[in-house]
Amino acid sequence: MIRQYLGALLVLAAGIAVAVMIIAAGPDLQQNQAPPKIPVVHAEPALPRWVQMTVDAHGEVLPKTESNLVSEVAGRVIAVAPEMVTGGFFARGDVLVEVERVDYEVALEQSRALLASARSELENAERDHRRAEELAETQSVSESLLDDALNRLTIAGASLRAAEASLSRAERDLARTRLTAPYDGRVRTEQVDVGQFVNRGETVATLYSIDYAEVRLPVRDVDLAYLPLSLARTGDGTPMPKVILRAEFAGAEHAWEAHVVRTEGELDPRTRMVNVIAQVPTPYEPVGNAPPLTVGLFVEAEIFGIWEENVLVVPRTALQEGNHVYVVAEDGRLSFRSVDVLRTTGESVYIRGGVETGEMICLSTLANAIEGQRVRPIAVEAT
């Protein structure tokens, strides 16, 4: 049995010996280590500059002045102006509605007649009083008759004043039969037509002026620090901030220039916002290709505020934890710098200090970055 396997064992042993000899005679293999991986980051040069702060807001276009057109007399409507329709334009002094005048013309004539009668009574009372005084000087009339003459003179004078007041009211009522426009404006709604009877104090239309349009813009209290506005009563003549209003209208985006004219001066306790009022003159006289700034339009507003010096505007990704930024040196190593954060808005951060002009600021977020770490910067355009 042993002889049967002896040959196979010898062959196997010879093969192993040959393999050992080949491996021993081969070259020595050296294990190469992989080079360290250097992260690639985006960077931009630091370019401090003057920056004007802006505040974004939104609001609805409203008329500066809006009022109800109210009838001050009662009567039947006999005429309505063609402009007296919803959306109609009118000018100051235009007669918008006319009430029947006959009854008021009659009342005016009656008042004139009463005034003439009162004047005649006063003239008679004055003559009687002068005659009584002359007779009293010669003691030809009793004192009681002199008192009666004086009393009639006083009553006649009061009657004249009452007649004059009645005439003035009659003239005023007659004039009020024509309802005129108090300003250049537009009709929001109307509720009157020819033949309708209106009562004194009844509203026949709602009007608004077109000299100015206003937009109420809610601004956060923290953003007021970047606007040259004060809730105090100053009146020092400081120019108010400019505002650019933008809206999409008729399939295109348009812009209108406005200016802040005032603040409402009251902080909303729920939203912590103050309403800033921006005003646009002659909103229905379009400039260039811009359409009229129509009442009711919803607009986005950019309010231009104060200027700040030596400010860097960087993406939010450049600001690291603890108000630090990473500066990439010429040899590609990171340096940690502490900066002052002036403001954070949207995707941008306004910073100052800690970085010299021209130094490369790392814009990428690095996990577990350490001081002196090597990176491979890729330059991008400065913001």
Side-chain angles (χ1 to χ4, degrees), residues 273-312:
M273 289 188 174
V274 174
N275 287 325
V276 173
I277 309 301
Q279 199 173 86
V280 180
T282 60
Y284 285 92
E285 295 181 10
V287 178
N289 296 325
L293 186 61
T294 307
V295 169
L297 186 66
F298 188 83
V299 295
E300 300 289 336
E302 183 180 13
I303 309 173
F304 292 85
I306 61 176
W307 288 85
E308 293 284 354
E309 185 180 7
N310 294 328
V311 175
L312 288 171

Coordinates of all heavy atoms in Angstrom, one line a residue, residues 273-312:
M273 N -43.9 93.6 13.3 CA -43.7 94.3 12.1 C -44.2 95.8 12.2 O -45.2 96.0 12.9 CB -44.3 93.6 10.9 CG -43.6 92.3 10.5 SD -44.2 91.7 8.9 CE -43.0 90.3 8.7
V274 N -43.6 96.7 11.4 CA -44.1 98.0 11.3 C -44.5 98.3 9.8 O -43.7 97.9 8.9 CB -43.0 99.0 11.7 CG1 -43.4 100.5 11.4 CG2 -42.7 98.9 13.2
N275 N -45.6 98.9 9.6 CA -46.0 99.2 8.2 C -45.3 100.4 7.7 O -45.5 101.5 8.3 CB -47.5 99.3 8.1 CG -48.2 98.0 8.3 OD1 -47.7 97.0 7.8 ND2 -49.4 98.0 8.9
V276 N -44.6 100.3 6.6 CA -44.0 101.4 5.9 C -44.8 101.8 4.7 O -45.2 100.9 3.9 CB -42.5 101.1 5.5 CG1 -41.9 102.2 4.7 CG2 -41.7 100.8 6.8
I277 N -45.1 103.0 4.5 CA -46.0 103.5 3.4 C -45.1 104.0 2.3 O -44.4 105.0 2.5 CB -47.0 104.5 3.9 CG1 -47.8 104.0 5.1 CG2 -48.0 104.8 2.8 CD1 -48.5 102.7 5.0
A278 N -45.2 103.4 1.1 CA -44.5 103.8 -0.1 C -45.6 104.5 -1.0 O -46.7 104.0 -1.1 CB -43.8 102.7 -0.8
Q279 N -45.2 105.6 -1.7 CA -46.1 106.3 -2.5 C -45.6 106.5 -3.9 O -44.4 106.7 -4.1 CB -46.3 107.7 -1.8 CG -47.6 108.4 -2.2 CD -47.8 109.7 -1.4 OE1 -47.2 110.7 -1.7 NE2 -48.6 109.6 -0.4
V280 N -46.5 106.4 -4.9 CA -46.2 106.5 -6.3 C -47.0 107.7 -6.8 O -48.3 107.6 -6.8 CB -46.4 105.3 -7.1 CG1 -46.1 105.4 -8.5 CG2 -45.6 104.1 -6.5
P281 N -46.5 108.7 -7.4 CA -47.3 109.8 -7.9 C -47.8 109.4 -9.3 O -47.2 108.6 -10.0 CB -46.3 111.0 -8.1 CG -45.0 110.3 -8.2 CD -45.0 109.0 -7.4
T282 N -49.0 110.0 -9.6 CA -49.7 109.8 -10.9 C -49.6 108.3 -11.4 O -49.0 108.0 -12.4 CB -49.2 110.7 -12.0 OG1 -47.8 110.5 -12.1 CG2 -49.4 112.2 -11.6
P283 N -50.2 107.4 -10.6 CA -50.0 106.0 -11.0 C -50.7 105.6 -12.3 O -50.3 104.6 -12.9 CB -50.6 105.2 -9.8 CG -51.6 106.2 -9.2 CD -51.0 107.5 -9.4
Y284 N -51.7 106.4 -12.7 CA -52.4 106.0 -14.0 C -51.8 106.8 -15.2 O -52.5 106.8 -16.2 CB -53.9 106.3 -13.8 CG -54.5 105.3 -12.9 CD1 -54.7 105.5 -11.6 CD2 -55.0 104.1 -13.5 CE1 -55.3 104.5 -10.8 CE2 -55.6 103.1 -12.7 CZ -55.7 103.4 -11.3 OH -56.3 102.4 -10.5
E285 N -50.6 107.4 -15.0 CA -49.9 107.9 -16.2 C -48.7 107.1 -16.4 O -47.6 107.4 -15.8 CB -49.6 109.4 -15.9 CG -50.8 110.3 -15.8 CD -50.4 111.7 -15.6 OE1 -49.2 112.1 -15.7 OE2 -51.3 112.5 -15.3
P286 N -48.7 106.1 -17.2 CA -47.6 105.1 -17.3 C -46.4 105.8 -17.9 O -46.4 106.7 -18.7 CB -48.2 104.0 -18.3 CG -49.3 104.7 -19.1 CD -49.9 105.7 -18.1
V287 N -45.2 105.3 -17.4 CA -43.9 105.7 -17.9 C -43.3 104.6 -18.7 O -43.1 103.5 -18.3 CB -43.0 106.1 -16.7 CG1 -41.6 106.5 -17.2 CG2 -43.7 107.2 -15.8
G288 N -42.9 105.0 -20.0 CA -42.4 104.0 -20.8 C -43.4 102.9 -21.2 O -44.5 103.2 -21.5
N289 N -42.9 101.6 -21.1 CA -43.7 100.5 -21.4 C -44.5 100.0 -20.2 O -45.2 99.0 -20.3 CB -42.9 99.4 -22.0 CG -42.3 99.8 -23.4 OD1 -42.9 100.5 -24.1 ND2 -41.1 99.3 -23.7
A290 N -44.3 100.6 -19.0 CA -44.9 100.1 -17.8 C -46.4 100.4 -17.8 O -46.8 101.5 -18.2 CB -44.2 100.7 -16.6
P291 N -47.2 99.5 -17.4 CA -48.7 99.8 -17.4 C -49.0 100.6 -16.1 O -48.1 100.8 -15.3 CB -49.3 98.3 -17.3 CG -48.2 97.6 -16.6 CD -46.9 98.1 -17.0
P292 N -50.2 101.1 -16.0 CA -50.6 101.8 -14.8 C -50.5 100.9 -13.6 O -50.7 99.7 -13.7 CB -52.1 102.2 -15.1 CG -52.2 102.2 -16.6 CD -51.3 101.1 -17.0
L293 N -50.1 101.6 -12.5 CA -50.0 100.9 -11.2 C -51.5 100.8 -10.6 O -51.9 101.7 -9.9 CB -49.1 101.6 -10.2 CG -48.8 100.9 -8.9 CD1 -48.1 99.5 -9.2 CD2 -47.9 101.7 -8.1
T294 N -52.2 99.8 -11.0 CA -53.6 99.6 -10.7 C -53.8 99.3 -9.2 O -53.1 98.5 -8.6 CB -54.2 98.5 -11.6 OG1 -53.9 98.8 -13.0 CG2 -55.7 98.5 -11.4
V295 N -54.9 100.0 -8.7 CA -55.3 99.7 -7.3 C -55.7 98.2 -7.2 O -56.4 97.7 -8.1 CB -56.5 100.6 -6.9 CG1 -57.1 100.1 -5.6 CG2 -56.0 102.0 -6.8
G296 N -55.2 97.5 -6.2 CA -55.5 96.1 -6.0 C -54.4 95.2 -6.4 O -54.4 94.0 -6.1
L297 N -53.4 95.7 -7.2 CA -52.3 94.9 -7.6 C -51.4 94.5 -6.5 O -51.1 95.4 -5.6 CB -51.5 95.7 -8.7 CG -50.4 94.9 -9.4 CD1 -51.0 93.8 -10.3 CD2 -49.6 95.9 -10.3
F298 N -50.9 93.3 -6.4 CA -50.0 92.8 -5.4 C -48.6 93.0 -5.9 O -48.3 92.5 -7.0 CB -50.3 91.3 -5.1 CG -49.5 90.8 -3.9 CD1 -50.0 91.0 -2.6 CD2 -48.3 90.1 -4.1 CE1 -49.3 90.6 -1.5 CE2 -47.6 89.7 -3.0 CZ -48.1 89.9 -1.7
V299 N -47.7 93.6 -5.2 CA -46.4 93.9 -5.6 C -45.3 93.5 -4.6 O -45.6 93.4 -3.4 CB -46.2 95.5 -5.9 CG1 -47.1 95.9 -7.0 CG2 -46.5 96.2 -4.6
E300 N -44.2 93.2 -5.2 CA -43.0 92.9 -4.4 C -42.2 94.2 -4.3 O -42.0 94.9 -5.3 CB -42.1 91.8 -4.9 CG -42.8 90.5 -5.1 CD -43.1 89.8 -3.7 OE1 -42.3 90.1 -2.8 OE2 -44.0 89.0 -3.6
A301 N -41.6 94.5 -3.1 CA -40.9 95.8 -3.0 C -39.5 95.6 -2.5 O -39.3 94.7 -1.6 CB -41.7 96.7 -2.0
E302 N -38.6 96.4 -3.0 CA -37.2 96.4 -2.6 C -37.0 97.8 -2.1 O -36.9 98.8 -2.8 CB -36.3 96.1 -3.7 CG -34.8 96.0 -3.3 CD -33.9 95.7 -4.4 OE1 -34.3 95.7 -5.6 OE2 -32.7 95.4 -4.1
I303 N -36.8 98.0 -0.7 CA -36.5 99.3 -0.1 C -35.0 99.5 0.1 O -34.4 98.6 0.7 CB -37.2 99.3 1.3 CG1 -38.7 98.9 1.1 CG2 -37.2 100.7 1.8 CD1 -39.4 98.8 2.5
F304 N -34.5 100.6 -0.5 CA -33.1 100.9 -0.4 C -32.8 101.7 0.9 O -33.3 102.7 1.1 CB -32.7 101.7 -1.6 CG -32.8 100.9 -2.9 CD1 -34.0 100.8 -3.6 CD2 -31.7 100.2 -3.4 CE1 -34.1 100.0 -4.8 CE2 -31.8 99.4 -4.5 CZ -33.0 99.4 -5.2
G305 N -31.9 101.1 1.7 CA -31.6 101.7 3.0 C -30.2 102.3 3.1 O -29.7 103.0 2.1
I306 N -29.6 102.2 4.2 CA -28.3 102.9 4.5 C -27.1 102.2 3.8 O -27.2 101.0 3.4 CB -28.1 102.9 6.0 CG1 -27.9 101.5 6.6 CG2 -29.2 103.6 6.7 CD1 -27.6 101.4 8.0
W307 N -26.0 102.9 3.7 CA -24.8 102.4 3.1 C -23.8 102.0 4.2 O -23.7 102.7 5.2 CB -24.1 103.5 2.2 CG -24.8 103.7 0.9 CD1 -25.9 104.6 0.7 CD2 -24.6 103.1 -0.3 NE1 -26.3 104.6 -0.6 CE2 -25.5 103.7 -1.3 CE3 -23.6 102.2 -0.8 CZ2 -25.5 103.3 -2.6 CZ3 -23.6 101.8 -2.1 CH2 -24.5 102.4 -3.0
E308 N -23.1 100.9 4.0 CA -22.1 100.4 4.9 C -20.8 100.3 4.2 O -20.7 99.9 3.0 CB -22.5 99.0 5.5 CG -23.7 99.1 6.4 CD -23.4 99.7 7.8 OE1 -22.2 99.9 8.1 OE2 -24.4 99.8 8.6
E309 N -19.7 100.6 4.9 CA -18.3 100.6 4.3 C -17.6 99.4 4.7 O -17.8 98.7 5.7 CB -17.6 101.9 4.9 CG -16.2 102.1 4.3 CD -15.5 103.3 4.8 OE1 -16.1 103.9 5.8 OE2 -14.4 103.6 4.4
N310 N -16.7 98.9 3.7 CA -15.8 97.8 3.9 C -16.6 96.5 4.3 O -16.3 95.9 5.3 CB -14.8 98.1 5.0 CG -13.8 99.2 4.6 OD1 -13.5 99.3 3.4 ND2 -13.3 100.0 5.6
V311 N -17.5 96.2 3.5 CA -18.4 95.0 3.7 C -18.1 94.0 2.7 O -17.9 94.3 1.5 CB -19.9 95.4 3.6 CG1 -20.8 94.2 3.8 CG2 -20.2 96.4 4.8
L312 N -18.0 92.7 3.1 CA -17.9 91.6 2.2 C -19.3 90.9 2.2 O -19.9 90.6 3.2 CB -16.9 90.6 2.7 CG -15.4 91.0 2.6 CD1 -14.5 90.0 3.4 CD2 -15.0 91.1 1.2

